């Protein structure tokens, strides 16, 4: 079973023995990986831990439902908290430490006067519909990095914009931490795993995989020879309509470069300059806001 | 002589051997102190290094004229750069490492999209007259903390607001770093040492100690029994006039709590609620902007 710490100082004391240079002993100089989560773990999270275990000697999983990344009216209060079950699951993938701090431990002053802002990259996609969300991500990830001082950290690609923001944070703030993006883990029917999937009722759960199927269909069209001249704007409009007709309320559906730069709506797969693209969607189904995305490389024949 | 590194990775490799747990060897588990500077070192800086040497095993002095903390029209270009002389001086106080990165090494993207903002505490004093200054301090100090990962860092109390901002940063971002504030070092005539003192011509240099003398005089008045009923507003106005008559152009002259909270102008030493106060001044003399401050505890008889 992983060892659980609720206090920053106790976790740091435990990790201290793995750091640094050691010439003549088994102890010391272990690679430490951090897997930040909000708990309520599913197989997607466990995949992050498995990847961390492959790359590092010691894996710390943080479980903290971070209040500063939830907006007013969002699901902070109802977000599922299942620490005991989470720890059981983490034992199966041999996580070494669980860091599960209280809000007071993480935020002696709440909200903290100091902020870590990612700038222009947040003025789009989830940053547009969830005001302040990425500011909360910025500060909590900075805190976790400073508390754990890991050699690497693993984040899921389902939250693609978050991953891009964290890579930028690490570069801009000179964190000596390798950021590993882990592929989306899906249910058998293609739905991207998410703690928020449990907000879906049975009928909605049947509909939910439409999101992934429609993204796949778009990606096929982007890669197919006979449809490479269709402009992205009309492709997006078609897909938007089909997802809406399935019962979703779309927050955004966009084609961007894989670095989240703007791609013109009148571009086509054959004319677009940047070949590495990503299709991203956020959509409400009942009271669940679902995210999905799909990377695609287009126009490789030229 | 200290060892000089210009590259982040080389410095980190050198420091790695001092970190962590070590049972059976002289190497390892050394306490590392960081002394961040912009170079052009004077005895005030050397005092920071001496304090660091007393508290830590290994002292890293960073020398970097940080472009992001200079505003348009400020003295970034003319700020004195004297690396060779600085290293000579650091040898006399046994600094272990000098970290002197290039701008490109520190800022692969300039300005960096990510920002570290200290919030309300910057909306006063130097933050008011130097727009963006403390944003630049926030990011460069965060970067230096992440690069060096020190156990402690030493900053001068001359830049009192900066010190308060850094203490807040460490608390809010959970840096495992002890922040040590070092007393102001003064010339024999009382002028606080500063690299910018060399912008003074001979006549101005004669006038400059007025700043310290007037702060001392204010502090004496605040502590004297027969003047404890004078309100702070009129005390500040008198001092403001005398400093201005000496030839300074005052940027600000204020009484604050030692946590930089507002103190009402109609308070007096006998009525003020918070007893630990600070008098702070910033004033131009010729082309030098000089800072000084003086802590004072008032009304201890009640």
């Amino acid at each position: 079973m992983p060892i659980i710490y609720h206090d920053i100082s106790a976790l740091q004391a435990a990790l201290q023995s793995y750091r640094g240079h050691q010439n003549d002993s088994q102890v010391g100089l272990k690679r430490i990986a951090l897997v930040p989560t909000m708990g309520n773990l599913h197989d997607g999270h466990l995949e992050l831990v498995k990847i961390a275990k492959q790359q590092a000697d010691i894996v710390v999983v943080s479980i903290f439902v971070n209040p500063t990344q939830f907006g007013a009216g969002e699901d902070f209060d109802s977000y599922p908290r299942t620490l005991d079950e989470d720890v059981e699951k983490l034992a199966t993938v041999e996580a070494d430490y669980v860091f599960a701090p209280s809000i007071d431990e993480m935020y002696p002053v709440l909200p903290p006067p100091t902020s870590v802002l990612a700038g222009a990259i947040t003025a789009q996609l989830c940053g547009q519909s969830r005001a302040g969300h990425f500011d909360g991500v910025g500060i909590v990830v900075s805190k976790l990095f400073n508390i754990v001082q890991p050699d690497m950290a693993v984040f899921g690609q389902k939250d693609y914009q978050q991953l891009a923001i964290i890579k930028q944070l690490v570069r801009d703030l000179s964190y000596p931490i390798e950021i590993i993006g882990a592929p989306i883990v899906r249910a058998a029917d293609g739905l991207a795993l998410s703690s928020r999937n449990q907000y879906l009722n049975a009928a909605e759960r049947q509909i939910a995989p439409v999101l992934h199927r429609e993204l796949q269909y778009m990606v096929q069209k982007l890669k197919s020879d006979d449809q490479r001249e269709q402009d992205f704007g009309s492709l997006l409009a078609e897909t938007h309509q089909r997802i809406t007709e399935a019962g979703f309320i779309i927050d955004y559906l966009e084609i961007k470069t894989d670095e989240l730069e703007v791609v013109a709506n009148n571009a086509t797969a054959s004319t677009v300059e940047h070949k590495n693209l990503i299709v991203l969607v956020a959509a409400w189904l009942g009271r669940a806001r679902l995210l999905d995305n799909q990377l695609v490389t287009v126009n490789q024949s030229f």
Side-chain angles (χ1 to χ4, degrees), chain A:
Chain A
M1 293 287 280
I3 303 173
I4 306 173
Y5 290 106
H6 301 284
D7 297 345
I8 292 170
S9 59
L11 174 73
Q12 288 177 326
L15 295 179
Q16 188 55 34
S17 62
Y18 300 114
R19 298 190 204 280
H21 187 75
Q22 187 92 357
N23 292 316
D24 43 12
S25 158
Q26 296 298 87
V27 185
L29 200 48
K30 303 287 192 192
R31 301 251 300 159
I32 298 173
L34 170 66
V35 181
T37 82
M38 298 208 301
N40 192 241
L41 304 181
H42 51 62
D43 286 350
H45 296 109
L46 301 185
E47 193 60 31
L48 304 181
V49 177
K50 286 180 199 166
I51 290 170
K53 282 297 279 190
Q54 285 162 13
Q55 306 282 326
D57 305 295
I58 304 292
V59 175
V60 180
V61 178
S62 64
I63 295 182
F64 181 61
V65 184
N66 172 37
T68 63
Q69 74 189 68
F70 288 80
E74 289 189 351
D75 56 344
F76 174 70
D77 288 333
S78 58
Y79 199 90
R81 288 154 171 93
T82 53
L83 183 60
D84 291 346
E85 294 90 323
D86 291 346
V87 173
E88 297 281 346
K89 288 178 186 169
L90 290 172
T92 68
V93 288
E94 298 180 325
D96 300 284
Y97 297 97
V98 171
F99 176 50
S102 67
I103 290 177
D104 284 350
E105 179 75 358
M106 284 295 273
Y107 294 107
V109 177
L110 182 65
T114 308
S115 55
V116 179
L117 308 180
I121 193 173
T122 68
Q124 58 175 331
L125 304 172
C126 289
Q128 214 160 34
S129 41
R130 303 188 67 189
H133 169 64
F134 287 121
D135 304 349
V137 169
I139 197 153
V140 81
V141 169
S142 299
K143 288 171 79 80
L144 290 169
F145 284 176
N146 296 336
I147 290 166
V148 176
Q149 296 188 317
D151 300 287
M152 67 194 78
V154 188
F155 293 85
Q157 285 179 357
K158 184 172 74 67
D159 302 295
Y160 190 86
Q161 188 179 11
Q162 172 178 278
L163 177 62
I165 285 169
I166 288 162
K167 286 179 178 172
Q168 181 193 288
L169 173 89
V170 162
R171 179 199 67 189
D172 289 349
L173 300 189
S174 302
Y175 276 109
I177 300 174
E178 180 190 355
I179 301 302
I180 299 170
I184 297 175
V185 178
R186 300 181 180 282
D189 60 9
L191 177 64
L193 296 192
S194 164
S195 299
R196 291 188 170 103
N197 290 350
Q198 64 194 264
Y199 297 160
L200 300 169
N201 65 28
E204 289 160 352
R205 179 63 189 79
Q206 293 296 312
I207 295 166
V210 164
L211 221 47
H212 174 54
R213 281 203 299 272
E214 289 296 341
L215 292 195
Q216 277 190 306
Y217 184 60
M218 262 188 81
V219 162
Q220 281 164 20
K221 279 189 134 183
L222 284 166
K223 298 185 85 156
S224 83
D225 272 345
D226 54 331
Q227 288 175 80
R228 54 189 303 139
E229 305 306 335
Q230 183 178 12
D231 69 78
F232 292 166
S234 79
L235 188 58
L236 286 164
E238 285 172 19
T239 309
H240 196 288
Q241 189 179 340
R242 275 199 302 273
I243 293 174
T244 304
E245 281 170 2
F248 292 84
I249 296 168
I250 293 183
D251 185 354
Y252 60 78
L253 171 67
E254 298 195 42
I255 297 173
K256 297 263 182 181
T257 74
D258 64 348
E259 296 182 333
L260 297 182
E261 303 287 338
V262 169
V263 175
N265 263 344
N266 63 0
T268 70
S270 74
T271 64
V272 66
E273 208 168 307
H274 194 103
K275 304 307 172 198
N276 296 314
L277 301 176
I278 183 165
V279 189
L280 307 111
V281 67
W284 289 90
L285 187 61
R287 64 186 192 88
R289 184 172 176 279
L290 304 180
L291 297 185
D292 208 341
N293 65 70
Q294 194 99 28
L295 286 159
V296 54
T297 300
V298 297
N299 196 13
Q300 296 212 286
S301 50
F302 292 108

